[in-house]
Amino acid sequence: MVGRDEIAALARRFNEAAAAIEALLAQERQMLAGASHELRSPLARIRMALELLADESDPVRRGDLARRAADDIIELDALSRVAALGARTARRASASVC
């Protein structure tokens, strides 16, 4: 038979685990919202550069627009790596809680 102290300890541990899971989920939602915002800026700049590139006849200006778009693609790549690292870290943290 399990004593009251053991049931209370089990209940506390269960509540601690539930709180840890809630915190991880909140952190994940916050990270996804931040990543979404961070990804929209370079995407908007790439879209704008491509629209301007289609109408630009000056080769120097076309080269500048292409370089800026390439820089934004590099930024997107870095952001996606950070997001992937965050997702892996969150998975490891949630696995350690369970």
Side-chain angles (χ1 to χ4, degrees), residues 8-73:
L10 179 62
R12 273 193 303 278
R13 294 202 64 197
F14 181 80
N15 289 339
E16 289 168 1
I21 291 169
E22 271 187 49
L24 284 171
L25 290 173
Q27 184 181 21
E28 182 179 3
R29 282 190 299 272
Q30 184 178 4
M31 185 191 74
L32 288 173
S36 174
H37 175 74
E38 292 297 320
L39 291 171
R40 280 193 298 266
S41 295
L43 281 172
R45 291 191 305 261
I46 291 169
R47 184 178 295 115
M48 176 74 74
L50 290 175
E51 289 172 4
L52 292 172
L53 195 57
D55 297 330
E56 185 60 60
S57 59
D58 179 14
V60 173
R61 180 78 176 125
R62 287 178 64 85
D64 182 51
L65 288 168
R67 276 189 296 283
R68 287 181 184 199
D71 289 344
D72 286 328
I73 290 169

Side-chain angles (χ1 to χ4, degrees), residues 78-90:
L79 288 169
S80 69
R81 282 192 228 140
V82 168
L85 176 62
R88 284 192 300 273
T89 303

